[in-house]
Amino acid sequence: MKKMILNIMATTGISLVALALIATLYDGTLICIDTVFQMLGLNIVIYIGLYFMDYIEYRYALLETGLKLIYIILLVLISGFVWDWYNNLSSAVLILMTIGIFAVCVCLDTISLLSEVKTINGLIEGEEHV
């Protein structure tokens, strides 16, 4: 649960930075406070769905990643209608932003996983020398 909350907060931060970069390209000057909470709410819903998707066993890792990406893109597009984001951004920009944020999060998860593997390997090597 602690890791999930940390991931939600990190993804929300990454999302807001990406949104600020895109807003800058569109000559935007501010991000409304509502947008911060909308991003937080969206990320909570995304991670709840991903939590349940982890219970499904996938035969191929690429299929799992693809399904997760499609799920996230659908939620982002639905959120665009719910919170009226399409007045400021096109759906293509939202999709590209989502893919970029997803790629960053996958890379961060991979780095975290590698760190955990190194720690476990260090513990195993320590036990073998005893």
Side-chain angles (χ1 to χ4, degrees), residues 59-105:
R59 194 171 196 138
Y60 304 104
L62 191 58
L63 175 66
E64 177 182 5
T65 303
L67 288 175
K68 287 180 179 181
L69 182 59
I70 290 169
Y71 163 74
I72 292 169
I73 289 173
L74 286 175
L75 279 179
V76 168
L77 292 176
I78 291 168
S79 297
F81 284 113
V82 171
W83 287 314
D84 206 25
W85 292 344
Y86 296 116
N87 284 337
N88 302 315
L89 291 173
S90 68
S91 59
V93 172
L94 278 175
I95 290 171
L96 290 174
M97 188 173 89
T98 301
I99 292 170
I101 293 167
F102 184 78
V104 168
C105 291

mmCIF file of all heavy atoms in Angstrom, residues 59-105:
data_model
loop_
_atom_site.group_PDB
_atom_site.id
_atom_site.type_symbol
_atom_site.label_atom_id
_atom_site.label_comp_id
_atom_site.label_asym_id
_atom_site.label_seq_id
_atom_site.Cartn_x
_atom_site.Cartn_y
_atom_site.Cartn_z
ATOM 1 N N ARG A 59 0.484 -14.207 -20.436
ATOM 2 C CA ARG A 59 1.449 -15.123 -21.044
ATOM 3 C C ARG A 59 2.671 -14.367 -21.559
ATOM 4 O O ARG A 59 3.777 -14.881 -21.554
ATOM 5 C CB ARG A 59 0.764 -15.878 -22.164
ATOM 6 C CG ARG A 59 1.519 -17.035 -22.638
ATOM 7 C CD ARG A 59 0.692 -17.860 -23.599
ATOM 8 N NE ARG A 59 1.352 -19.134 -23.716
ATOM 9 C CZ ARG A 59 0.754 -20.279 -23.734
ATOM 10 N NH1 ARG A 59 -0.550 -20.331 -23.654
ATOM 11 N NH2 ARG A 59 1.432 -21.388 -23.846
ATOM 12 N N TYR A 60 2.455 -13.126 -22.002
ATOM 13 C CA TYR A 60 3.529 -12.331 -22.587
ATOM 14 C C TYR A 60 3.614 -10.983 -21.874
ATOM 15 O O TYR A 60 2.601 -10.324 -21.652
ATOM 16 C CB TYR A 60 3.278 -12.100 -24.078
ATOM 17 C CG TYR A 60 3.097 -13.385 -24.854
ATOM 18 C CD1 TYR A 60 1.827 -13.792 -25.256
ATOM 19 C CD2 TYR A 60 4.184 -14.190 -25.155
ATOM 20 C CE1 TYR A 60 1.658 -14.974 -25.958
ATOM 21 C CE2 TYR A 60 4.026 -15.374 -25.851
ATOM 22 C CZ TYR A 60 2.759 -15.761 -26.252
ATOM 23 O OH TYR A 60 2.580 -16.927 -26.931
ATOM 24 N N ALA A 61 4.832 -10.569 -21.564
ATOM 25 C CA ALA A 61 5.040 -9.289 -20.877
ATOM 26 C C ALA A 61 4.606 -8.119 -21.753
ATOM 27 O O ALA A 61 4.069 -7.125 -21.259
ATOM 28 C CB ALA A 61 6.503 -9.145 -20.472
ATOM 29 N N LEU A 62 4.823 -8.246 -23.060
ATOM 30 C CA LEU A 62 4.441 -7.175 -23.975
ATOM 31 C C LEU A 62 2.927 -6.986 -24.013
ATOM 32 O O LEU A 62 2.431 -5.857 -24.070
ATOM 33 C CB LEU A 62 4.977 -7.471 -25.379
ATOM 34 C CG LEU A 62 4.907 -6.354 -26.394
ATOM 35 C CD1 LEU A 62 5.662 -5.129 -25.908
ATOM 36 C CD2 LEU A 62 5.460 -6.814 -27.723
ATOM 37 N N LEU A 63 2.192 -8.083 -23.926
ATOM 38 C CA LEU A 63 0.729 -8.012 -23.878
ATOM 39 C C LEU A 63 0.275 -7.293 -22.607
ATOM 40 O O LEU A 63 -0.612 -6.435 -22.659
ATOM 41 C CB LEU A 63 0.127 -9.422 -23.928
ATOM 42 C CG LEU A 63 -1.394 -9.510 -23.758
ATOM 43 C CD1 LEU A 63 -2.107 -8.855 -24.930
ATOM 44 C CD2 LEU A 63 -1.821 -10.960 -23.608
ATOM 45 N N GLU A 64 0.900 -7.628 -21.489
ATOM 46 C CA GLU A 64 0.558 -6.982 -20.220
ATOM 47 C C GLU A 64 0.806 -5.480 -20.298
ATOM 48 O O GLU A 64 -0.056 -4.676 -19.924
ATOM 49 C CB GLU A 64 1.383 -7.596 -19.088
ATOM 50 C CG GLU A 64 1.147 -6.946 -17.748
ATOM 51 C CD GLU A 64 2.010 -7.536 -16.650
ATOM 52 O OE1 GLU A 64 2.871 -8.397 -16.935
ATOM 53 O OE2 GLU A 64 1.822 -7.128 -15.503
ATOM 54 N N THR A 65 1.967 -5.099 -20.811
ATOM 55 C CA THR A 65 2.300 -3.678 -20.923
ATOM 56 C C THR A 65 1.340 -2.974 -21.881
ATOM 57 O O THR A 65 0.877 -1.866 -21.599
ATOM 58 C CB THR A 65 3.753 -3.514 -21.405
ATOM 59 O OG1 THR A 65 4.620 -4.206 -20.503
ATOM 60 C CG2 THR A 65 4.157 -2.056 -21.468
ATOM 61 N N GLY A 66 1.022 -3.604 -22.983
ATOM 62 C CA GLY A 66 0.094 -3.017 -23.952
ATOM 63 C C GLY A 66 -1.302 -2.820 -23.385
ATOM 64 O O GLY A 66 -1.922 -1.775 -23.585
ATOM 65 N N LEU A 67 -1.794 -3.828 -22.664
ATOM 66 C CA LEU A 67 -3.121 -3.706 -22.048
ATOM 67 C C LEU A 67 -3.156 -2.597 -21.003
ATOM 68 O O LEU A 67 -4.130 -1.843 -20.904
ATOM 69 C CB LEU A 67 -3.554 -5.034 -21.430
ATOM 70 C CG LEU A 67 -3.936 -6.135 -22.419
ATOM 71 C CD1 LEU A 67 -4.218 -7.443 -21.678
ATOM 72 C CD2 LEU A 67 -5.139 -5.717 -23.250
ATOM 73 N N LYS A 68 -2.084 -2.494 -20.222
ATOM 74 C CA LYS A 68 -2.017 -1.423 -19.211
ATOM 75 C C LYS A 68 -1.993 -0.060 -19.881
ATOM 76 O O LYS A 68 -2.679 0.866 -19.429
ATOM 77 C CB LYS A 68 -0.795 -1.617 -18.315
ATOM 78 C CG LYS A 68 -0.950 -2.757 -17.339
ATOM 79 C CD LYS A 68 0.273 -2.926 -16.462
ATOM 80 C CE LYS A 68 0.060 -4.068 -15.476
ATOM 81 N NZ LYS A 68 1.211 -4.248 -14.582
ATOM 82 N N LEU A 69 -1.240 0.060 -20.958
ATOM 83 C CA LEU A 69 -1.173 1.343 -21.665
ATOM 84 C C LEU A 69 -2.528 1.702 -22.272
ATOM 85 O O LEU A 69 -2.973 2.850 -22.173
ATOM 86 C CB LEU A 69 -0.093 1.297 -22.745
ATOM 87 C CG LEU A 69 0.122 2.582 -23.532
ATOM 88 C CD1 LEU A 69 0.497 3.741 -22.611
ATOM 89 C CD2 LEU A 69 1.197 2.385 -24.594
ATOM 90 N N ILE A 70 -3.199 0.751 -22.877
ATOM 91 C CA ILE A 70 -4.533 1.002 -23.444
ATOM 92 C C ILE A 70 -5.514 1.414 -22.355
ATOM 93 O O ILE A 70 -6.292 2.361 -22.524
ATOM 94 C CB ILE A 70 -5.035 -0.237 -24.214
ATOM 95 C CG1 ILE A 70 -4.225 -0.422 -25.491
ATOM 96 C CG2 ILE A 70 -6.527 -0.125 -24.536
ATOM 97 C CD1 ILE A 70 -4.441 -1.742 -26.189
ATOM 98 N N TYR A 71 -5.471 0.727 -21.210
ATOM 99 C CA TYR A 71 -6.332 1.066 -20.070
ATOM 100 C C TYR A 71 -6.092 2.508 -19.623
ATOM 101 O O TYR A 71 -7.042 3.277 -19.419
ATOM 102 C CB TYR A 71 -6.056 0.078 -18.926
ATOM 103 C CG TYR A 71 -6.554 0.514 -17.577
ATOM 104 C CD1 TYR A 71 -7.909 0.495 -17.269
ATOM 105 C CD2 TYR A 71 -5.666 0.940 -16.592
ATOM 106 C CE1 TYR A 71 -8.362 0.892 -16.025
ATOM 107 C CE2 TYR A 71 -6.114 1.333 -15.350
ATOM 108 C CZ TYR A 71 -7.456 1.315 -15.065
ATOM 109 O OH TYR A 71 -7.902 1.709 -13.843
ATOM 110 N N ILE A 72 -4.824 2.879 -19.516
ATOM 111 C CA ILE A 72 -4.490 4.234 -19.057
ATOM 112 C C ILE A 72 -4.927 5.273 -20.088
ATOM 113 O O ILE A 72 -5.507 6.305 -19.724
ATOM 114 C CB ILE A 72 -2.980 4.331 -18.756
ATOM 115 C CG1 ILE A 72 -2.641 3.469 -17.539
ATOM 116 C CG2 ILE A 72 -2.565 5.774 -18.506
ATOM 117 C CD1 ILE A 72 -1.157 3.265 -17.302
ATOM 118 N N ILE A 73 -4.676 5.005 -21.362
ATOM 119 C CA ILE A 73 -5.086 5.961 -22.395
ATOM 120 C C ILE A 73 -6.601 6.143 -22.404
ATOM 121 O O ILE A 73 -7.102 7.270 -22.505
ATOM 122 C CB ILE A 73 -4.564 5.519 -23.786
ATOM 123 C CG1 ILE A 73 -3.046 5.706 -23.865
ATOM 124 C CG2 ILE A 73 -5.259 6.288 -24.904
ATOM 125 C CD1 ILE A 73 -2.408 5.145 -25.116
ATOM 126 N N LEU A 74 -7.339 5.053 -22.270
ATOM 127 C CA LEU A 74 -8.806 5.169 -22.217
ATOM 128 C C LEU A 74 -9.261 6.013 -21.034
ATOM 129 O O LEU A 74 -10.148 6.859 -21.179
ATOM 130 C CB LEU A 74 -9.444 3.781 -22.167
ATOM 131 C CG LEU A 74 -9.422 2.986 -23.466
ATOM 132 C CD1 LEU A 74 -9.966 1.573 -23.246
ATOM 133 C CD2 LEU A 74 -10.220 3.703 -24.542
ATOM 134 N N LEU A 75 -8.651 5.792 -19.866
ATOM 135 C CA LEU A 75 -9.019 6.605 -18.696
ATOM 136 C C LEU A 75 -8.687 8.078 -18.904
ATOM 137 O O LEU A 75 -9.468 8.957 -18.518
ATOM 138 C CB LEU A 75 -8.320 6.089 -17.438
ATOM 139 C CG LEU A 75 -8.950 4.894 -16.763
ATOM 140 C CD1 LEU A 75 -8.140 4.465 -15.545
ATOM 141 C CD2 LEU A 75 -10.380 5.181 -16.340
ATOM 142 N N VAL A 76 -7.554 8.364 -19.524
ATOM 143 C CA VAL A 76 -7.171 9.751 -19.780
ATOM 144 C C VAL A 76 -8.152 10.396 -20.757
ATOM 145 O O VAL A 76 -8.592 11.540 -20.552
ATOM 146 C CB VAL A 76 -5.725 9.830 -20.309
ATOM 147 C CG1 VAL A 76 -5.406 11.217 -20.848
ATOM 148 C CG2 VAL A 76 -4.739 9.454 -19.213
ATOM 149 N N LEU A 77 -8.524 9.670 -21.810
ATOM 150 C CA LEU A 77 -9.468 10.231 -22.784
ATOM 151 C C LEU A 77 -10.854 10.452 -22.171
ATOM 152 O O LEU A 77 -11.498 11.471 -22.429
ATOM 153 C CB LEU A 77 -9.558 9.325 -24.010
ATOM 154 C CG LEU A 77 -8.288 9.264 -24.873
ATOM 155 C CD1 LEU A 77 -8.455 8.254 -25.997
ATOM 156 C CD2 LEU A 77 -7.923 10.629 -25.409
ATOM 157 N N ILE A 78 -11.296 9.519 -21.339
ATOM 158 C CA ILE A 78 -12.583 9.686 -20.641
ATOM 159 C C ILE A 78 -12.500 10.876 -19.691
ATOM 160 O O ILE A 78 -13.432 11.683 -19.607
ATOM 161 C CB ILE A 78 -12.977 8.391 -19.909
ATOM 162 C CG1 ILE A 78 -13.330 7.300 -20.922
ATOM 163 C CG2 ILE A 78 -14.133 8.639 -18.936
ATOM 164 C CD1 ILE A 78 -13.456 5.911 -20.327
ATOM 165 N N SER A 79 -11.380 11.003 -18.984
ATOM 166 C CA SER A 79 -11.198 12.140 -18.075
ATOM 167 C C SER A 79 -11.208 13.461 -18.834
ATOM 168 O O SER A 79 -11.671 14.478 -18.311
ATOM 169 C CB SER A 79 -9.877 12.004 -17.308
ATOM 170 O OG SER A 79 -9.890 10.866 -16.501
ATOM 171 N N GLY A 80 -10.702 13.428 -20.071
ATOM 172 C CA GLY A 80 -10.742 14.633 -20.895
ATOM 173 C C GLY A 80 -12.154 15.110 -21.143
ATOM 174 O O GLY A 80 -12.424 16.309 -21.136
ATOM 175 N N PHE A 81 -13.069 14.157 -21.345
ATOM 176 C CA PHE A 81 -14.482 14.533 -21.514
ATOM 177 C C PHE A 81 -15.106 14.970 -20.197
ATOM 178 O O PHE A 81 -15.815 15.962 -20.141
ATOM 179 C CB PHE A 81 -15.282 13.356 -22.090
ATOM 180 C CG PHE A 81 -15.047 13.140 -23.544
ATOM 181 C CD1 PHE A 81 -14.410 11.993 -23.988
ATOM 182 C CD2 PHE A 81 -15.461 14.070 -24.482
ATOM 183 C CE1 PHE A 81 -14.190 11.773 -25.334
ATOM 184 C CE2 PHE A 81 -15.254 13.874 -25.845
ATOM 185 C CZ PHE A 81 -14.606 12.726 -26.262
ATOM 186 N N VAL A 82 -14.810 14.229 -19.132
ATOM 187 C CA VAL A 82 -15.413 14.531 -17.830
ATOM 188 C C VAL A 82 -14.989 15.911 -17.337
ATOM 189 O O VAL A 82 -15.821 16.694 -16.861
ATOM 190 C CB VAL A 82 -15.039 13.437 -16.801
ATOM 191 C CG1 VAL A 82 -15.449 13.829 -15.400
ATOM 192 C CG2 VAL A 82 -15.661 12.105 -17.189
ATOM 193 N N TRP A 83 -13.696 16.217 -17.442
ATOM 194 C CA TRP A 83 -13.182 17.473 -16.893
ATOM 195 C C TRP A 83 -12.946 18.540 -17.961
ATOM 196 O O TRP A 83 -12.337 19.573 -17.694
ATOM 197 C CB TRP A 83 -11.917 17.215 -16.091
ATOM 198 C CG TRP A 83 -12.205 16.542 -14.784
ATOM 199 C CD1 TRP A 83 -13.172 16.868 -13.895
ATOM 200 C CD2 TRP A 83 -11.529 15.397 -14.237
ATOM 201 N NE1 TRP A 83 -13.138 16.011 -12.817
ATOM 202 C CE2 TRP A 83 -12.135 15.103 -13.009
ATOM 203 C CE3 TRP A 83 -10.479 14.601 -14.663
ATOM 204 C CZ2 TRP A 83 -11.724 14.062 -12.193
ATOM 205 C CZ3 TRP A 83 -10.069 13.565 -13.852
ATOM 206 C CH2 TRP A 83 -10.684 13.298 -12.626
ATOM 207 N N ASP A 84 -13.429 18.279 -19.182
ATOM 208 C CA ASP A 84 -13.408 19.275 -20.254
ATOM 209 C C ASP A 84 -11.994 19.755 -20.584
ATOM 210 O O ASP A 84 -11.741 20.940 -20.752
ATOM 211 C CB ASP A 84 -14.304 20.463 -19.872
ATOM 212 C CG ASP A 84 -14.826 21.184 -21.095
ATOM 213 O OD1 ASP A 84 -14.918 20.557 -22.162
ATOM 214 O OD2 ASP A 84 -15.119 22.391 -20.975
ATOM 215 N N TRP A 85 -11.057 18.815 -20.696
ATOM 216 C CA TRP A 85 -9.682 19.158 -21.041
ATOM 217 C C TRP A 85 -9.530 19.488 -22.515
ATOM 218 O O TRP A 85 -8.547 20.090 -22.915
ATOM 219 C CB TRP A 85 -8.739 18.002 -20.702
ATOM 220 C CG TRP A 85 -8.580 17.731 -19.239
ATOM 221 C CD1 TRP A 85 -8.917 18.553 -18.210
ATOM 222 C CD2 TRP A 85 -8.045 16.555 -18.652
ATOM 223 N NE1 TRP A 85 -8.626 17.956 -17.014
ATOM 224 C CE2 TRP A 85 -8.087 16.730 -17.260
ATOM 225 C CE3 TRP A 85 -7.533 15.365 -19.160
ATOM 226 C CZ2 TRP A 85 -7.631 15.765 -16.374
ATOM 227 C CZ3 TRP A 85 -7.082 14.412 -18.283
ATOM 228 C CH2 TRP A 85 -7.125 14.618 -16.890
ATOM 229 N N TYR A 86 -10.482 19.075 -23.346
ATOM 230 C CA TYR A 86 -10.346 19.248 -24.787
ATOM 231 C C TYR A 86 -10.502 20.691 -25.235
ATOM 232 O O TYR A 86 -10.251 21.007 -26.391
ATOM 233 C CB TYR A 86 -11.318 18.339 -25.538
ATOM 234 C CG TYR A 86 -11.011 16.878 -25.290
ATOM 235 C CD1 TYR A 86 -11.930 16.061 -24.641
ATOM 236 C CD2 TYR A 86 -9.803 16.322 -25.677
ATOM 237 C CE1 TYR A 86 -11.643 14.722 -24.404
ATOM 238 C CE2 TYR A 86 -9.509 14.995 -25.438
ATOM 239 C CZ TYR A 86 -10.434 14.203 -24.803
ATOM 240 O OH TYR A 86 -10.152 12.890 -24.555
ATOM 241 N N ASN A 87 -10.891 21.579 -24.347
ATOM 242 C CA ASN A 87 -10.904 23.002 -24.678
ATOM 243 C C ASN A 87 -9.481 23.530 -24.810
ATOM 244 O O ASN A 87 -9.234 24.498 -25.523
ATOM 245 C CB ASN A 87 -11.640 23.815 -23.607
ATOM 246 C CG ASN A 87 -13.132 23.652 -23.710
ATOM 247 O OD1 ASN A 87 -13.660 23.315 -24.763
ATOM 248 N ND2 ASN A 87 -13.814 23.881 -22.610
ATOM 249 N N ASN A 88 -8.546 22.898 -24.074
ATOM 250 C CA ASN A 88 -7.172 23.382 -24.045
ATOM 251 C C ASN A 88 -6.178 22.475 -24.776
ATOM 252 O O ASN A 88 -5.136 22.951 -25.217
ATOM 253 C CB ASN A 88 -6.715 23.542 -22.592
ATOM 254 C CG ASN A 88 -7.607 24.493 -21.834
ATOM 255 O OD1 ASN A 88 -7.956 25.546 -22.327
ATOM 256 N ND2 ASN A 88 -7.998 24.112 -20.636
ATOM 257 N N LEU A 89 -6.467 21.185 -24.852
ATOM 258 C CA LEU A 89 -5.561 20.221 -25.473
ATOM 259 C C LEU A 89 -6.342 19.297 -26.400
ATOM 260 O O LEU A 89 -7.490 18.969 -26.123
ATOM 261 C CB LEU A 89 -4.878 19.352 -24.409
ATOM 262 C CG LEU A 89 -3.863 20.006 -23.503
ATOM 263 C CD1 LEU A 89 -3.432 19.036 -22.419
ATOM 264 C CD2 LEU A 89 -2.648 20.455 -24.284
ATOM 265 N N SER A 90 -5.687 18.850 -27.441
ATOM 266 C CA SER A 90 -6.319 17.876 -28.326
ATOM 267 C C SER A 90 -6.131 16.473 -27.757
ATOM 268 O O SER A 90 -5.267 16.240 -26.900
ATOM 269 C CB SER A 90 -5.716 17.955 -29.726
ATOM 270 O OG SER A 90 -4.373 17.504 -29.699
ATOM 271 N N SER A 91 -6.914 15.552 -28.244
ATOM 272 C CA SER A 91 -6.785 14.170 -27.772
ATOM 273 C C SER A 91 -5.442 13.578 -28.175
ATOM 274 O O SER A 91 -4.863 12.781 -27.433
ATOM 275 C CB SER A 91 -7.940 13.311 -28.301
ATOM 276 O OG SER A 91 -7.960 13.326 -29.701
ATOM 277 N N ALA A 92 -4.900 13.983 -29.317
ATOM 278 C CA ALA A 92 -3.588 13.485 -29.755
ATOM 279 C C ALA A 92 -2.494 13.908 -28.771
ATOM 280 O O ALA A 92 -1.610 13.116 -28.437
ATOM 281 C CB ALA A 92 -3.272 13.992 -31.154
ATOM 282 N N VAL A 93 -2.556 15.145 -28.306
ATOM 283 C CA VAL A 93 -1.568 15.626 -27.334
ATOM 284 C C VAL A 93 -1.714 14.860 -26.026
ATOM 285 O O VAL A 93 -0.710 14.468 -25.410
ATOM 286 C CB VAL A 93 -1.712 17.146 -27.107
ATOM 287 C CG1 VAL A 93 -0.831 17.620 -25.963
ATOM 288 C CG2 VAL A 93 -1.373 17.903 -28.384
ATOM 289 N N LEU A 94 -2.946 14.619 -25.600
ATOM 290 C CA LEU A 94 -3.159 13.842 -24.368
ATOM 291 C C LEU A 94 -2.616 12.421 -24.503
ATOM 292 O O LEU A 94 -2.003 11.897 -23.573
ATOM 293 C CB LEU A 94 -4.651 13.794 -24.025
ATOM 294 C CG LEU A 94 -5.225 14.998 -23.302
ATOM 295 C CD1 LEU A 94 -6.735 14.845 -23.137
ATOM 296 C CD2 LEU A 94 -4.574 15.200 -21.956
ATOM 297 N N ILE A 95 -2.821 11.807 -25.653
ATOM 298 C CA ILE A 95 -2.326 10.444 -25.870
ATOM 299 C C ILE A 95 -0.793 10.433 -25.857
ATOM 300 O O ILE A 95 -0.182 9.577 -25.207
ATOM 301 C CB ILE A 95 -2.879 9.859 -27.179
ATOM 302 C CG1 ILE A 95 -4.379 9.584 -27.019
ATOM 303 C CG2 ILE A 95 -2.147 8.588 -27.569
ATOM 304 C CD1 ILE A 95 -5.087 9.212 -28.306
ATOM 305 N N LEU A 96 -0.165 11.376 -26.557
ATOM 306 C CA LEU A 96 1.296 11.438 -26.573
ATOM 307 C C LEU A 96 1.854 11.714 -25.181
ATOM 308 O O LEU A 96 2.864 11.129 -24.778
ATOM 309 C CB LEU A 96 1.770 12.496 -27.568
ATOM 310 C CG LEU A 96 1.559 12.155 -29.038
ATOM 311 C CD1 LEU A 96 1.936 13.337 -29.918
ATOM 312 C CD2 LEU A 96 2.354 10.921 -29.420
ATOM 313 N N MET A 97 1.196 12.595 -24.447
ATOM 314 C CA MET A 97 1.624 12.885 -23.081
ATOM 315 C C MET A 97 1.492 11.642 -22.211
ATOM 316 O O MET A 97 2.385 11.329 -21.416
ATOM 317 C CB MET A 97 0.777 14.028 -22.502
ATOM 318 C CG MET A 97 1.258 14.529 -21.155
ATOM 319 S SD MET A 97 0.353 15.993 -20.624
ATOM 320 C CE MET A 97 -0.994 15.233 -19.771
ATOM 321 N N THR A 98 0.422 10.900 -22.373
ATOM 322 C CA THR A 98 0.199 9.681 -21.601
ATOM 323 C C THR A 98 1.265 8.640 -21.908
ATOM 324 O O THR A 98 1.810 8.013 -20.988
ATOM 325 C CB THR A 98 -1.198 9.108 -21.911
ATOM 326 O OG1 THR A 98 -2.176 10.096 -21.590
ATOM 327 C CG2 THR A 98 -1.468 7.849 -21.124
ATOM 328 N N ILE A 99 1.587 8.470 -23.175
ATOM 329 C CA ILE A 99 2.615 7.496 -23.560
ATOM 330 C C ILE A 99 3.968 7.904 -22.983
ATOM 331 O O ILE A 99 4.715 7.061 -22.468
ATOM 332 C CB ILE A 99 2.673 7.338 -25.095
ATOM 333 C CG1 ILE A 99 1.390 6.675 -25.591
ATOM 334 C CG2 ILE A 99 3.898 6.554 -25.522
ATOM 335 C CD1 ILE A 99 1.220 6.684 -27.100
ATOM 336 N N GLY A 100 4.276 9.185 -23.021
ATOM 337 C CA GLY A 100 5.539 9.667 -22.458
ATOM 338 C C GLY A 100 5.631 9.445 -20.963
ATOM 339 O O GLY A 100 6.654 8.973 -20.443
ATOM 340 N N ILE A 101 4.568 9.766 -20.248
ATOM 341 C CA ILE A 101 4.546 9.572 -18.797
ATOM 342 C C ILE A 101 4.620 8.089 -18.464
ATOM 343 O O ILE A 101 5.337 7.679 -17.541
ATOM 344 C CB ILE A 101 3.286 10.223 -18.186
ATOM 345 C CG1 ILE A 101 3.365 11.739 -18.329
ATOM 346 C CG2 ILE A 101 3.113 9.823 -16.722
ATOM 347 C CD1 ILE A 101 2.064 12.455 -18.048
ATOM 348 N N PHE A 102 3.916 7.261 -19.223
ATOM 349 C CA PHE A 102 3.949 5.811 -19.018
ATOM 350 C C PHE A 102 5.370 5.290 -19.208
ATOM 351 O O PHE A 102 5.853 4.475 -18.415
ATOM 352 C CB PHE A 102 2.987 5.128 -19.986
ATOM 353 C CG PHE A 102 2.872 3.643 -19.808
ATOM 354 C CD1 PHE A 102 2.114 3.111 -18.772
ATOM 355 C CD2 PHE A 102 3.521 2.764 -20.670
ATOM 356 C CE1 PHE A 102 2.000 1.739 -18.600
ATOM 357 C CE2 PHE A 102 3.410 1.401 -20.511
ATOM 358 C CZ PHE A 102 2.647 0.880 -19.475
ATOM 359 N N ALA A 103 6.065 5.760 -20.243
ATOM 360 C CA ALA A 103 7.436 5.325 -20.505
ATOM 361 C C ALA A 103 8.368 5.714 -19.357
ATOM 362 O O ALA A 103 9.204 4.913 -18.921
ATOM 363 C CB ALA A 103 7.930 5.910 -21.822
ATOM 364 N N VAL A 104 8.218 6.929 -18.856
ATOM 365 C CA VAL A 104 9.043 7.371 -17.725
ATOM 366 C C VAL A 104 8.773 6.503 -16.497
ATOM 367 O O VAL A 104 9.704 6.066 -15.810
ATOM 368 C CB VAL A 104 8.782 8.866 -17.405
ATOM 369 C CG1 VAL A 104 9.399 9.274 -16.082
ATOM 370 C CG2 VAL A 104 9.319 9.744 -18.528
ATOM 371 N N CYS A 105 7.510 6.215 -16.232
ATOM 372 C CA CYS A 105 7.152 5.394 -15.063
ATOM 373 C C CYS A 105 7.669 3.959 -15.197
ATOM 374 O O CYS A 105 8.138 3.378 -14.217
ATOM 375 C CB CYS A 105 5.641 5.404 -14.846
ATOM 376 S SG CYS A 105 5.035 7.010 -14.298
#
